[in-house]
Amino acid sequence: MSQPQTTAVAPVKAAPRRVAPQAASSPHGEREARAKQRDAYFDNAKYLAIVLVAIGHAWEPLRDDSRVVSALYNFVYAFHMPAFIVISGYFSRSFDASPGRIRRLVTGVAVPYVVFETAYTLFTRWTDQVPDRPISLLDPLYLTWFLAALFVWRLTTPLWQRVRWPLPIALTVAALATLSPSIGNDLDLQRVLQFLPYFVLGLCLRPEHFRLVRRWRVRLLALPVLGCAVAVSYWAEPRMTGAWFYHRDSAQELGASAWFGPVMTLAVFGFSMVLVACFLSWVPGRRLWFTALGAGTLYGYLLHGFVAQGSKYWGWYSPDWIHRPLGAVVVALAAGAVVTLLCTPPVRRAFRCVVEPDMGWAFRREPRKRPVPAQTREPGTRAGSRALS
């Protein structure tokens, strides 16, 4: 069947929109430009993951009162931090140890670690009634371990990008870590090593992998898989410890034989990654009311711990109804609301000086780089591109 003939019309090119140089170079203009480049899917994923982190911390005092809450707690812990770490690894692919990347690593990870490690130590001296608790930057307290781990993982990124089998090597390192109860608490090294495969996997992922898990077939399959995982968690709750998902102890410290550590490393990694894939398959890809909050998940992560720690001291878990099913639901909703508030722009502006300090005075001025000729650029890249945080 022949196609109808049409008259060719020359396209009319719109005049390019000029941007004032001072607006493009201003910090506000740079933040707006980065905001427009952000991928809504990953911001949504980070926001939903940080909500699950907050809910997990809020459910911890209720675990002894309900098998259901304890099972849901273990279920959430099986994939919420793995998902967060996989995404962190994915956005660390561009780390090349250049001066600019090192500066961002120091100001965005190392400095917040020092600030919040000190702040949590002083705060828990009061809430835990331990006035002589020492301030130790080598022994991460509470949730600051993630910053210490992220600092180490990103420093080793160039190594993982150059070895031939990064994920099998990372899994071997994690499995060997479970054999050694002598690994001390310095920088929470046991966690750093056991969570390492999730970060390395994120380094290996590409955009097409995320598109794969977002297919409708995968989404439909994810629903029964998640249901079975909850049922397995409920069955296993009185039969085995959920501490395997915390990745902070060796096999012997968990009361198991040494050989059981490598076996559980592979089993937990496989189980967690299936749940991470199910979680990512249902993350919406369009912009929603909480999408912009995904850029502030580090604020929510670092700040919600003060509420979680203080809630026990302030007696928020004292009423009997809190320890009933309705109480668990209310606690989860409250935790989600609190961490959502902590990710909002006003809170980020108030705490940017300690979470994302500029610290230009502490670094030498970088020499201006010449633009890379188009012929020598790697296909599909842009000169000066930056990974979204």
Side-chain angles (χ1 to χ4, degrees):
M1 184 175 181
S2 61
Q3 297 291 335
Q5 295 183 353
T6 58
T7 302
V9 179
V12 179
K13 294 185 178 180
R17 186 177 179 181
R18 300 179 62 90
V19 181
Q22 62 270 22
S25 60
S26 66
H28 180 69
E30 291 178 0
R31 284 196 294 269
E32 286 186 345
R34 288 198 298 269
K36 293 179 180 179
Q37 295 176 0
R38 298 189 71 92
D39 190 324
Y41 172 75
F42 290 105
D43 279 340
N44 292 338
K46 289 193 294 182
Y47 168 77
L48 295 174
I50 204 63
V51 168
L52 291 175
V53 171
I55 291 175
H57 287 156
W59 273 345
E60 188 174 1
L62 306 178
R63 296 183 60 196
D64 295 336
D65 303 310
S66 172
R67 180 178 175 180
V68 173
V69 172
S70 185
L72 291 175
Y73 177 90
N74 291 333
F75 168 74
V76 168
Y77 263 78
F79 72 91
H80 72 344
M81 282 310 296
F84 212 76
I85 295 170
V86 166
I87 296 174
S88 298
Y90 179 75
F91 283 108
S92 298
R93 294 172 301 157
S94 62
F95 184 85
D96 55 3
S98 62
R101 303 292 182 188
I102 293 295
R103 173 176 173 172
R104 292 187 64 189
L105 182 64
V106 171
T107 58
V109 179
V111 172
Y113 171 73
V114 173
V115 171
F116 282 89
E117 174 66 21
T118 303
Y120 271 111
T121 301
L122 297 177
F123 186 72
T124 55
R125 281 182 180 180
W126 170 54
T127 58
D128 294 344
Q129 300 294 302
V130 185
D132 57 346
R133 174 168 287 165
I135 298 176
S136 174
L137 299 182
L138 293 179
D139 187 8
L141 181 66
Y142 197 37
L143 47 73
T144 58
W145 71 269
F146 176 71
L147 292 179
L150 186 59
F151 185 85
V152 175
W153 294 333
R154 279 197 177 159
L155 280 181
T156 61
T157 292
L159 170 65
W160 298 113
Q161 291 178 329
R162 284 164 176 77
V163 297
R164 181 168 294 181
W165 303 290
L167 185 57
I169 294 175
L171 282 169
T172 302
V173 171
L176 293 176
T178 64
L179 299 176
S180 178
S182 61
I183 295 180
N185 294 325
D186 291 350
L187 296 181
D188 218 341
L189 190 57
Q190 192 69 256
R191 266 178 170 163
V192 173
L193 298 178
Q194 291 194 35
F195 272 117
L196 175 64
Y198 302 97
F199 183 81
V200 173
L201 176 63
L203 293 175
C204 299
L205 293 178
R206 295 295 179 265
E208 54 267 24
H209 297 128
F210 291 95
R211 289 194 293 267
L212 180 64
V213 300
R214 295 170 63 189
R215 294 180 177 179
W216 273 108
R217 291 182 180 179
V218 179
R219 291 182 176 181
L220 294 177
L221 182 61
L223 296 177
V225 171
L226 291 172
C228 291
V230 173
V232 169
S233 180
Y234 183 82
W235 172 85
E237 196 280 329
R239 294 173 173 84
M240 62 178 294
T241 175
W244 290 104
F245 297 119
Y246 310 156
H247 297 287
R248 65 187 179 197
D249 299 301
S250 66
Q252 295 181 26
E253 290 172 311
L254 294 178
S257 301
W259 64 267
F260 203 61
V263 173
M264 287 299 295
T265 297
L266 297 177
V268 168
F269 180 79
F271 183 73
S272 296
M273 288 315 306
V274 169
L275 296 184
V276 169
C278 294
F279 166 73
L280 292 175
S281 70
W282 280 99
V283 172
R286 63 186 185 279
R287 294 192 65 85
L288 300 171
W289 65 268
F290 57 79
T291 301
L293 303 179
T297 50
L298 184 60
Y299 291 81
Y301 178 81
L302 292 174
L303 295 173
H304 87 276
F306 292 104
V307 180
Q309 289 289 313
S311 61
K312 306 170 189 176
Y313 178 79
W314 297 320
W316 292 0
Y317 291 91
S318 298
D320 293 337
W321 68 271
I322 287 290
H323 299 267
R324 296 170 185 164
L326 178 60
V329 174
V330 171
V331 166
L333 294 176
V338 167
V339 78
T340 297
L341 176 64
L342 296 177
C343 293
T344 56
V347 175
R348 288 158 55 188
R349 284 194 295 267
F351 289 93
R352 181 170 286 122
C353 59
V354 292
V355 178
E356 295 179 291
D358 182 69
M359 294 185 63
W361 54 268
F363 297 90
R364 297 178 180 177
R365 186 183 300 273
E366 296 181 43
R368 182 172 297 177
K369 295 182 179 180
R370 294 181 179 179
V372 181
Q375 296 87 342
T376 61
R377 291 181 198 162
E378 182 182 352
T381 63
R382 295 179 306 212
S385 62
R386 299 176 65 183
L388 299 177
S389 58

